[in-house]
Amino acid sequence: MCGKIGRAKGEAALNFLELVTEVIDLRSFSNLWYWIALAALWSTASHWVLGVPFDIVARARRGNEQANHDMHVLAEVNVNRILKFVEISGTSIVSLATFVTAALAMMGWYYDVEFCQAVFFLFFPMLMVAGLHVFTAKKIHDTQYEHLEKQLRQHRLFVQLIGVLAIFITAFWGMWANLHHGALGL
């Protein structure tokens, strides 16, 4: 009798684990959470333009004086912060980012680790956005914050273009990986 109860509990636990592993797929490209994280990453990247929320930029463009003041203050703080960060540790960060990118690419494609491929598709485009941040911060600083609203809008457009391209490539590779590795049961 005790053996049957113990066996029933063991089977219930096994059934629960099977259910959990079916619902929460540990593969990256077939996991809903990966795609939610990808969407959240790009949504956040396009909303915060050099540390300035884009709604402030939009209100400043419509002539709101308080929003224009806030935009200039936030932009000045963040441009100075970015440029100081690059001046102090730019070489170290570029070296580390290069190493991480190469390691992810090597493990992802040479050793066929899907998780590393997925992280690469999140990490590499954000490196391009970080480079764009530095370029735009330098440009804004050099022009003494002239036409700030226009430069922030242009920066956001480029971030969105990088995002669209990155999402397209990630989705294409993710579909190929799912079909190739049989995640969809094909």
Side-chain angles (χ1 to χ4, degrees):
M1 176 84 164
C2 287
K4 289 182 180 180
I5 294 174
R7 199 171 32 241
K9 285 183 181 179
E11 288 175 7
L14 183 60
N15 289 338
F16 177 73
L17 285 175
E18 287 176 7
L19 178 66
V20 168
T21 56
E22 285 180 20
V23 172
I24 303 173
D25 188 2
L26 299 177
R27 296 190 54 222
S28 300
F29 294 117
S30 60
N31 191 332
L32 177 63
W33 295 108
Y34 176 77
W35 298 104
I36 290 172
L38 181 73
L41 176 75
W42 285 108
S43 174
T44 303
S46 69
H47 177 70
W48 291 92
V49 184
L50 290 181
V52 180
F54 193 73
D55 60 297
I56 290 178
V57 177
R59 283 184 297 173
R61 183 175 189 210
R62 290 190 294 261
N64 184 318
E65 286 301 317
Q66 181 63 44
N68 191 38
H69 172 73
D70 293 346
M71 177 183 67
H72 275 82
V73 169
L74 286 170
E76 186 172 354
V77 166
N78 285 301
V79 162
N80 290 334
R81 184 181 60 86
I82 290 168
L83 293 177
K84 188 55 122 175
F85 182 76
V86 168
E87 179 184 324
I88 291 171
S89 59
T91 305
S92 301
I93 295 300
V94 169
S95 300
L96 180 64
T98 302
F99 172 76
V100 170
T101 304
L104 287 171
M106 176 67 82
M107 289 186 294
W109 282 275
Y110 186 76
Y111 293 111
D112 200 29
V113 178
E114 184 178 313
F115 179 76
C116 292
Q117 293 173 3
V119 173
F120 178 88
F121 282 121
L122 295 174
F123 187 72
F124 184 71
M126 291 312 292
L127 287 179
M128 290 190 283
V129 170
L132 184 62
H133 280 350
V134 173
F135 175 78
T136 304
K138 179 101 174 91
K139 184 176 167 185
I140 288 171
H141 187 266
D142 290 347
T143 60
Q144 298 296 311
Y145 300 88
E146 213 173 291
H147 309 292
L148 177 63
E149 177 263 329
K150 179 183 176 196
Q151 289 178 331
L152 292 176
R153 282 187 302 117
Q154 188 177 39
H155 176 78
R156 182 180 192 229
L157 177 65
F158 286 132
V159 169
Q160 288 176 328
L161 289 174
I162 292 169
V164 166
L165 185 62
I167 290 170
F168 175 77
I169 291 170
T170 303
F172 183 78
W173 184 262
M175 285 186 286
W176 183 86
N178 284 335
L179 291 173
H180 180 72
H181 295 295
L184 301 177
L186 299 175

